Amino acid sequence: PHRPYRYLPSGVEYGPMGSFGVAHGAQKGVWQEDAWEVTQALQRHLLQLRYADALLGRLIDTLERVGSFDDALIVVTADHGISFRTGTGMRQVDRKHPERNAADIMRVPLFVKWPGQGAPIRSDRNVETIDILPTIIDALGGRIPKSVDGVALGQPESARPRADKVLYVRDGTARTALRVGANLPLGESVARRLGLTSQADLFAVGTRLELHGRPVAALDVLDASGVVSRLIDAGAYAEVDPDSRFLPVHVTGETVVADEPGPIELAVAINGVIRATTRTYTHEPGRARFSSMVAPDAFHAGGNSVEIFVIRDRTGRVALEPTARRPHVDYFGVIGAGGQVEAIGSSDGRIFPVVPGAVVGKVTQGGAYFEGEAVDAKRDRAADSVLVFAAGRLLHVQQLAPTHLDGESRGAGGSPDLPKHRRFRLTIPFGKLGGDSSAHVQFVGLARGAASWIEYPQSASASSSAPDSRSADPSSVEHDWLGPTGSIALERRGDREGLSIGATWVPIDPLVDPAIDFQIDPAGGKDVADSNSVEPMTPSERIAESQNRAGVLLVFSDGQFVDAVRAEMGEPDLESMGSNHGSPGTRLIALSDDGSAAELPDSYWR
């Protein structure tokens, strides 16, 4: 049941994706002091443990079905245990105080089924993993070399008695041996783990179990609170398939609380019924998150309602305060006149022109993880975020920390040779990819209002002009779009014309919007249209140098979207519009970073 924790006992995966797939509550492998976070990690560990047990049962059933179980030698073990105790290491024994967690980590399961064995035998002898190899040799009738340290379990313990167990712990970059007493008593966390394991319902873990299963309508509901919540992967609840290999049972999100210090208790309602209770934890200064596991039967096919409430105690009764919900933001590809994705649009009305090289990096897959880097090339810092697409869906939005690169960390040719802290790592539930771990996934980096493909070998398709396109410059590789598509269209509502961007409509001013001050040339302080003393400026220069820095220039031809450019990054390729370029059917619309839009008069660019 190793990390990342993502499996239910049935083998169905859950999400959302996250960095390293590690349960919150630990930093650098050490549990912090919040016991509730540790309990939640233990819950997810035990759910996955039941799946590991189911897989072992499946193996035994298969061996019996093919008639090999009786004759087989089977060994089941683990390389180390894991501790769930505040203030101690998850899987590293405390050298100075081994009694804190050594019993949790050193006691690993060891099951050995000899060929022909019919009855179970339980042994309390001091067994270590070094005894496994001689046991295999002995069981298969071989001769055990004298140089082997271990003792076969079929041989008497007196052959090589041991009073201690030897563990290896990290000491800086090296590993050193640590001896502890073999009869170290089971720790409190082991007892707690056994207690939770005996529960029939591992989803019955929460801060207010008495609320679980109660309809929201049967409780006192107060006016909306000052707490704002945002669900992570909110789109997953809009199209649930109970029969799929992925279910969004891990309900997580962020909260913004005004004038309310410390953690707050939350209730999670699915389709009008309280299914989980939890408490917020500090994610980073100024930001809190929440996490909860809900049973799969809480969801029905299709769209499901997820509500987050603050739990309040009111004179002996429990009341619920609804939280204000931040709208979920979706991202989609916008197809230009050439049939290619020219920009990434968002449901909140933003446009990110595709600019090769604005974000540089590379992603590789290793087992359950996708890891790589995404760097704002111009500013030598982490990109703002990474979008993950596959099978026509947005899978994940990963925010990145805006740390700066060390000036000496660049490799030859100016390519970023990124230090470790610049890397990101994600787990993507294979069930969300249709159960295919090799499915094509596409990564897009966002920085300074622009978007770039992040190199991932499986996402690039061979182009006719570059037979070996996978080894080519990633900025020149043709990409098959793997995400959802949307549109940027000119749409009139009433007497106003505007931009329709996904579900958002932005009105266009018929003249230059004062909020996007194009009229003033910052260098000369003169009106560009009325002055012959100012050297002519390109459309992008005028936008980039304007007071409010309108970010994106959109090109339309005969009412159809053609292209988008980031104002400070380049010029629209008017030649690409063929014979219509420069014709009365060509229009340039500027979209500012603050969400206002204005059309550039012909005199600005013709």
Side-chain angles (χ1 to χ4, degrees), residues 305-316:
S305 168
V306 181
E307 299 173 281
I308 308 299
F309 296 91
V310 178
I311 301 174
R312 302 293 190 191
D313 289 304
R314 293 289 187 267
T315 62

Side-chain angles (χ1 to χ4, degrees), residues 154 199 283:
Q199 286 187 194
H283 174 57

Side-chain angles (χ1 to χ4, degrees), residues 237-551:
Y237 304 105
E239 44 180 340
V240 176
D241 179 2
D243 297 324
S244 71
R245 301 297 299 170
F246 172 86
L247 287 175
V249 299
H250 188 204
V251 182
T252 65
E254 297 178 332
T255 60
V256 178
V257 184
D259 301 325
E260 190 165 351
I264 58 175
E265 275 193 293
L266 301 174
V268 178
I270 309 294
N271 299 318
V273 178
I274 303 297
R275 293 291 188 168
T277 52
T278 186
R279 190 172 66 238
T280 60
Y281 63 92
T282 301
H283 174 57
E284 56 186 53
R287 297 175 62 187
R289 282 191 174 177
F290 62 88
S291 168
S292 60
M293 296 292 294
V294 300
D297 62 8
F299 300 97
H300 55 63
N304 289 256
S305 168
V306 181
E307 299 173 281
I308 308 299
F309 296 91
V310 178
I311 301 174
R312 302 293 190 191
D313 289 304
R314 293 289 187 267
T315 62
R317 63 184 177 87
V318 173
L320 303 178
E321 279 185 0
T323 63
R325 287 283 294 276
R326 282 185 176 176
H328 172 65
V329 178
D330 279 316
Y331 293 87
F332 52 87
V334 182
I335 308 298
Q340 299 296 319
V341 171
E342 301 291 351
I344 303 297
S346 69
S347 58
D348 60 353
R350 291 174 294 162
I351 298 295
F352 303 86
V354 173
V355 180
V359 176
V360 296
K362 186 175 182 178
V363 180
T364 59
Q365 182 183 1
Y369 300 109
F370 291 83
E371 56 185 348
E373 55 271 337
V375 178
D376 181 338
K378 185 174 181 179
R379 294 187 293 184
D380 278 357
R381 57 184 285 178
D384 299 327
S385 56
V386 173
L387 312 179
V388 187
F389 298 96
R393 293 175 297 167
L394 170 69
L395 296 186
H396 184 63
V397 179
Q398 178 73 21
Q399 302 294 330
L400 300 182
T403 52
H404 289 266
L405 281 172
D406 184 343
E408 298 181 356
S409 65
R410 286 192 166 275
S415 300
D417 181 14
L418 298 171
K420 185 177 181 180
H421 72 275
R422 296 302 308 282
R423 300 180 66 81
F424 65 87
R425 199 176 191 191
L426 301 172
T427 58
I428 300 180
F430 295 149
K432 208 168 185 180
L433 299 174
D436 183 3
S437 64
S438 63
H440 285 193
V441 182
Q442 198 164 53
F443 297 86
V444 176
L446 301 182
R448 292 180 295 130
S452 300
W453 313 117
I454 300 177
E455 183 183 0
Y456 174 61
Q458 288 178 278
S459 67
S461 62
S463 66
S464 57
S465 60
D468 187 16
S469 63
R470 294 178 188 272
S471 61
D473 178 358
S475 65
S476 65
V477 175
E478 294 288 331
H479 287 267
D480 292 328
W481 177 241
L482 302 180
T485 58
S487 64
I488 307 175
L490 298 171
E491 178 183 336
R492 183 170 292 278
R493 295 186 180 182
D495 61 349
R496 296 292 301 276
E497 187 179 32
L499 288 173
S500 177
I501 305 172
T504 302
W505 184 79
V506 181
I508 301 173
D509 286 328
L511 300 176
V512 174
D513 187 337
I516 313 179
D517 187 12
F518 296 121
Q519 296 288 342
I520 303 301
D521 169 23
K526 299 179 180 179
D527 187 289
V528 177
D530 296 336
S531 174
N532 295 321
S533 62
V534 179
E535 185 176 346
M537 301 173 70
T538 65
S540 291
E541 287 173 337
R542 293 184 180 181
I543 297 174
E545 295 300 325
S546 65
Q547 181 176 335
N548 291 299
R549 299 183 64 81

Side-chain angles (χ1 to χ4, degrees), residues 31-50:
W31 293 112
Q32 303 305 291
E33 297 300 327
D34 189 340
W36 173 239
E37 290 187 78
V38 178
T39 296
Q40 289 189 300
L42 175 56
Q43 177 193 26
R44 294 175 62 190
H45 170 82
L46 293 177
L47 286 167
Q48 190 147 303
L49 176 62
R50 287 189 177 178

